[in-house]
Amino acid sequence: MAENVVLQVDGLCFAYPECAVLGGLSLAWPGGVALVQGDESTGKTTLMRLLAGELPPQAGEVTLQGVRQRGALQAYRARVFWHDLRSAALDALTARQWLDGLPARYPAWDAAALASHVEGFALQPHLDKPFYALSTGSRRKVLMAGGLASGAPLTLFDEPVAGLDKPSIHHLQSALAAAAGHLERLVVVAHYEALPGVAWDHAITLLR
């Protein structure tokens, strides 16, 4: 893997019983911000789950900062921030409890960044609510605040603006714009279109 590459994907393949999704995807991305673009049912979420190590590829290899997913899955996952919004795993926790547990997992955690994102996403009134009581938009904002503050080498956001109000969308755009060009960290966003105001360092389009 080239010295400046954060994420390398070689010949990644995955298919569901009813359809093929990815057929030999390869890429080599340095740090910064990356866009995975595509219409519905083109495999954006599947790719994010594969990159997160949540879904095993049927062929190919994913390497993050020199750590191969297949050979060292636990070490690989420790370098990734990813949460599926559809999962009920966090439902019993309050937003604050979950956020308070993240610094122990992510060595590059940035408390000042979290405070900035809590303010930017207007999360203060929601921090002591359990996840199950949060709206979809508020859940998404809590997860993104944690992800942006995590400092994880690979941070994955799937359809990040769904359910967000305009001020929160603007804050997200600013946060992604600020992450562009970072050498040691890659933030990957799956969305059906490019977000305005973000100078994407990398982009791919998935097709049916």
Side-chain angles (χ1 to χ4, degrees), residues 7-15 21-28 47 50-51 56-63 68-70 204:
L7 178 70
Q8 182 161 324
V9 175
D10 298 296
L12 194 65
C13 295
F14 187 85
V21 181
L22 298 171
L25 176 68
S26 296
L27 55 87
L47 177 57
L50 288 162
L51 296 181
Q58 291 160 348
E61 181 63 273
V62 183
T63 307
R68 293 192 174 193
Q69 191 185 96
R70 281 185 184 272
I204 59 170

Side-chain angles (χ1 to χ4, degrees), residues 5-187:
V5 170
V6 172
L7 178 70
Q8 182 161 324
V9 175
D10 298 296
L12 194 65
C13 295
F14 187 85
Y16 294 106
E18 67 276 10
C19 67
V21 181
L22 298 171
L25 176 68
S26 296
L27 55 87
W29 284 343
V33 289
L35 174 67
V36 176
Q37 191 170 353
D39 292 333
E40 291 295 321
S41 303
T42 54
K44 299 188 299 298
T45 299
T46 298
L47 177 57
M48 301 296 267
R49 295 180 65 203
L50 288 162
L51 296 181
E54 182 180 272
L55 197 62
Q58 291 160 348
E61 181 63 273
V62 183
T63 307
L64 174 59
Q65 290 187 325
V67 178
R68 293 192 174 193
Q69 191 185 96
R70 281 185 184 272
L73 183 58
Q74 187 173 349
Y76 178 95
R77 284 177 173 169
R79 290 164 167 78
V80 179
F81 180 93
W82 158 256
H83 282 276
D84 190 334
L85 192 71
R86 299 166 298 182
S87 171
L90 303 179
D91 278 2
L93 295 175
T94 67
R96 191 186 304 276
Q97 286 171 329
W98 178 71
L99 291 167
D100 285 349
L102 294 182
R105 178 174 175 184
Y106 297 104
W109 176 262
D110 188 338
L114 177 64
S116 171
H117 298 312
V118 166
E119 181 180 355
F121 286 131
L123 285 173
Q124 195 64 44
H126 305 292
L127 292 179
D128 294 308
K129 297 177 183 177
F131 268 84
Y132 73 80
L134 295 173
S135 68
T136 298
S138 293
R139 283 172 65 102
R140 195 181 298 280
K141 289 188 283 186
V142 172
L143 293 174
M144 289 194 296
L148 291 166
S150 71
L154 178 60
T155 298
L156 304 167
F157 294 141
D158 189 19
E159 298 294 354
V161 303
L164 263 61
D165 52 278
K166 285 186 178 179
S168 294
I169 292 173
H170 292 153
H171 177 74
L172 174 62
Q173 290 168 341
S174 297
L176 293 174
H182 282 207
L183 297 179
E184 300 299 324
R185 184 184 188 194
L186 180 65
V187 179

